[in-house]
């Protein structure tokens, strides 16, 4: 009786091993999730500092890229360059995170799953008769701050 049980267990095990060898193997890297920007945000947007016109900020948004640069008296600094296609080092997801906030009518743009000082809450508006992106933020004391970027 024990011999029949042992032989049948070995047959089942052999069948599983043979069936497992015939199954296709999974790739080492799974396909990442691509993140896209809203169509209404695409383009080049510029903000000129009110106090010093030699300081400008440029925002270039494409389908997959959020690129933020500052120009200080002719010197260029790239502050943020997030890609919706580039895989994050930490997650099986792109660097870029874009989420619509349901009731506020705004979008939250950030580096995927990371706390960053560059997380932005953005809304598209008409300001001074021109299409603009408004960055909604607040100062340390809670006073609201709005920064407007105009279409270039």
């Amino acid at each position: 009786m024990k011999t029949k049980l042992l032989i049948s267990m070995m047959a089942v095990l052999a069948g599983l091993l043979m069936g497992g060898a015939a199954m296709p193997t999974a790739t080492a890297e799974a396909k990442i999730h691509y993140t896209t920007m809203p169509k209404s945000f695409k383009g080049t947007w510029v903000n000129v500092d009110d106090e010093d016109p030699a300081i400008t900020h440029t925002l270039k948004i494409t389908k997959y890229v959020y690129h933020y640069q500052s120009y200080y008296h002719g010197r260029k600094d790239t502050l943020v360059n997030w890609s919706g296609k580039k895989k994050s080092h930490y997650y099986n997801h792109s660097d870029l995170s874009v989420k619509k906030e349901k009731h506020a009518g705004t979008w939250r743009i950030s580096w995927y799953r990371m706390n960053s000082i560059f997380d932005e809450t953005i809304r598209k508006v008409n300001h001074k008769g021109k299409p603009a992106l408004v960055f909604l933020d607040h100062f340390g004391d809670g006073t609201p701050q709005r920064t407007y970027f105009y279409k270039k």
Side-chain angles (χ1 to χ4, degrees), residues 129-143:
K130 299 178 192 175
L133 292 181
V134 60
F135 282 51
L136 306 169
D137 206 350
H138 62 280
F139 292 105
D141 63 356
T143 308

Side-chain angles (χ1 to χ4, degrees), residues 66 68 79-80 82 109-111 115-120 135:
Y66 176 86
Y68 185 94
L79 300 174
V80 174
W82 292 324
I109 299 174
S110 63
W111 190 24
N115 292 327
S116 171
I117 60 170
F118 296 110
D119 287 359
E120 298 293 348
F135 282 51

Side-chain angles (χ1 to χ4, degrees), residues 99-114:
K99 294 180 181 169
K100 186 172 185 176
E101 296 179 351
K102 292 181 182 181
H103 301 292
T106 59
W107 292 82
R108 189 83 177 148
I109 299 174
S110 63
W111 190 24
Y112 182 73
R113 288 216 179 160
M114 294 291 171

Side-chain angles (χ1 to χ4, degrees), residues 32-64:
I32 69 165
H33 171 78
Y34 291 152
T35 305
T36 58
M37 294 293 292
K39 287 182 182 180
S40 61
F41 289 178
K42 292 179 188 176
T44 303
W45 304 84
V46 178
N47 170 272
V48 178
D49 193 301
D50 294 334
E51 296 172 8
D52 187 356
I55 299 174
T56 60
H57 306 280
T58 303
L59 184 61
K60 293 180 184 175
I61 299 175
T62 65
K63 183 175 183 177
Y64 297 109

